[in-house]
Amino acid sequence: MHAQSSLHQTTTTERGSFALARCSCGWTGPARRSRDRARTDAADHLRTTAGDEV
Ligand SMILES: [Zn+2]
């Protein structure tokens, strides 16, 4: 079941010329120069936390 999406809702925020990923759980990714990188960080976070739930 994939009913945990509400626990970790990732978004990308832009600060000046940097982009960083944020999650509803309070996690924040490092500042990146491209939004694609920030999205990758968010995906990595979701994977890591998904493993934690087990
Ligand atoms: Zn999270």
Side-chain angles (χ1 to χ4, degrees):
M1 299 288 187
H2 291 78
Q4 310 172 345
S5 52
S6 59
L7 289 175
H8 295 281
Q9 276 191 320
T10 55
T11 54
T12 53
T13 314
E14 289 183 30
R15 278 193 189 179
S17 55
F18 291 95
L20 54 91
R22 296 189 69 183
C23 184
S24 56
C25 74
W27 172 87
T28 307
R32 303 293 196 181
R33 285 211 171 177
S34 79
R35 200 190 276 176
D36 268 1
R37 286 280 187 176
R39 280 188 190 173
T40 305
D41 287 334
D44 269 0
H45 168 70
L46 289 180
R47 274 191 215 159
T48 311
T49 53
D52 253 13
E53 296 292 329
V54 184

